[in-house]
Amino acid sequence: MTQTLVATRSRRLLRAVAVVSCVPYLALKVAWVAGSRVGIPEGSSLLEHRTSMAVANSLSVVLDSAVIVLALVLTRPWGLRVPAWLLVFPVWVATGLLAPIMTGFPLQLLVKALGGSVNRAADTGREPFLDEWVFRVVYTGFIVQGLALGTLFALYARDRWGHLWCGRVWELPLGAVGAAQRVTAGAAAVLALLPLTLHLLWAFGSAAGLSAGRADDRTCDFYVLEAMTAVFLVAAVAGACLLAFRTAPSLPVKVPLALAWIGSAATACWGGWLALASLPGVDDITDRPTPVMHLAYAGQMIVGILVATLGTHFFAERSAGVVRRPVPDRSVAAPARTPASERSTAVENRPA
């Protein structure tokens, strides 16, 4: 049966919202690449690495421009003909980069409203990194962008692949999750212990493993982000284990899949982004991350990739309709029937 994608009024509206929400961020990045200093105060560390800043901002422009392409793919009829991997991977990356902002920034605002400190020059004693209004404009745009794009992808995925996450965990075919997936989930759980422990320590006030500058700059928003990183790690491992070990058989399949999707994306992509930002000449913080911080970022990436690999195998196997069937025992198989002509010949040649 041929699938069609109907761009209803609500989907067209969501597409427009997703595209418009990219404008503030893209405008700022393009202006900075062109040499403008709008939103960058005097003394900002961004002004110390102009070449690196231009490269990083150009990469950001490309990444955010991809959101516009994704919005079109998810709402146009030709979008259903796009290969699954070519669509799913960019959406997974977008989920990983936007989910921590969508959860962390509102919590930071809540903490600020309750009297907590945030990363401002007045709180840390350092020169301001960016003007306060830049964070509000950009992060608000990211949240709107994530909500619109996430809703569009959920509707698209339901139309194209909804049959793959129907039912409950106990109804999954035997071939959908096997021993290899259980090993993968177990490995992800073990490897998550180190980054999870570190992020929990940092979230609860410990400075163990942090660089001196990072430890001095800690405010309530730092603790919020560390706590959210730990939550995403737990979500990734929980989703993988629920699928691989079927520990909650009555749970709808879409629940562990959602946990694995969001958790693995946020864990792997945000860990990768922090690792990239810490490279020499690219980072915009005073002190470079310590080896312990690098271990935390690497652990996040490995755990996220493992969980994503498990999810990919699950969808591939269920899409192919793999069901393990018993192999017949050929040693007790019934003998083949002999044609009538051969039977008559055998009778004639039978010894008396």
Side-chain angles (χ1 to χ4, degrees), residues 175-191:
V177 180
Q181 288 67 54
R182 288 189 286 274
V183 171
T184 302
V190 172
L191 292 173

Side-chain angles (χ1 to χ4, degrees), residues 58-144:
S58 299
L59 177 61
S60 301
V61 169
V62 173
L63 290 175
D64 207 50
S65 299
V67 172
I68 299 175
V69 178
L70 288 175
L72 293 173
V73 171
L74 297 174
T75 54
R76 301 298 299 170
W78 49 267
L80 287 172
R81 298 192 296 270
V82 175
W85 67 268
L86 190 58
L87 171 64
V88 170
F89 180 72
V91 175
W92 182 77
V93 173
T95 302
L97 295 177
L98 292 175
I101 296 174
M102 294 173 65
T103 55
F105 186 61
L107 287 176
Q108 288 176 343
L109 294 179
L110 178 61
V111 168
K112 181 181 178 181
L114 295 176
S117 59
V118 294
N119 278 340
R120 297 174 300 191
D123 297 319
T124 63
R126 295 175 179 268
E127 293 296 333
F129 176 65
L130 286 171
D131 289 337
E132 187 69 21
W133 66 265
V134 175
F135 292 101
R136 295 182 180 274
V137 170
V138 170
Y139 287 170
T140 300
F142 281 158
I143 292 173
V144 174

Side-chain angles (χ1 to χ4, degrees), residues 161-334:
W161 302 300
H163 61 285
L164 298 180
W165 59 72
C166 291
R168 300 187 179 276
V169 173
W170 66 271
E171 298 173 335
L172 292 175
L174 294 178
V177 180
Q181 288 67 54
R182 288 189 286 274
V183 171
T184 302
V190 172
L191 292 173
L193 291 176
L194 175 61
L196 179 61
T197 301
L198 290 172
H199 286 296
L200 285 176
L201 287 174
W202 297 336
F204 284 99
S206 174
L210 290 175
S211 61
R214 197 73 178 105
D216 292 339
D217 287 349
R218 288 177 300 166
T219 52
C220 287
D221 60 345
F222 170 83
Y223 302 128
V224 168
L225 290 178
E226 292 301 319
M228 291 310 306
T229 301
V231 169
F232 285 121
L233 268 166
V234 172
V237 173
C241 290
L242 286 172
L243 274 180
F245 297 102
R246 307 190 185 204
T247 53
S250 61
L251 199 66
V253 174
K254 58 187 176 184
V255 173
L257 284 176
L259 289 173
W261 173 275
I262 299 174
S264 68
T267 298
C269 297
W270 200 250
W273 182 259
L274 291 175
L276 178 64
S278 66
L279 292 177
V282 178
D283 61 330
D284 46 37
I285 59 177
T286 304
D287 296 331
R288 299 191 187 282
T290 63
V292 174
M293 296 171 69
H294 281 298
L295 278 176
Y297 302 153
Q300 289 177 237
M301 288 188 288
I302 294 172
V303 171
I305 291 172
L306 284 175
V307 175
T309 301
L310 187 150
T312 301
H313 179 273
F314 170 85
F315 280 113
E317 293 297 297
R318 201 168 192 201
S319 178
V322 173
V323 178
R324 192 175 299 166
R325 294 182 175 85
V327 179
D329 187 357
R330 296 186 180 277
S331 62
V332 295

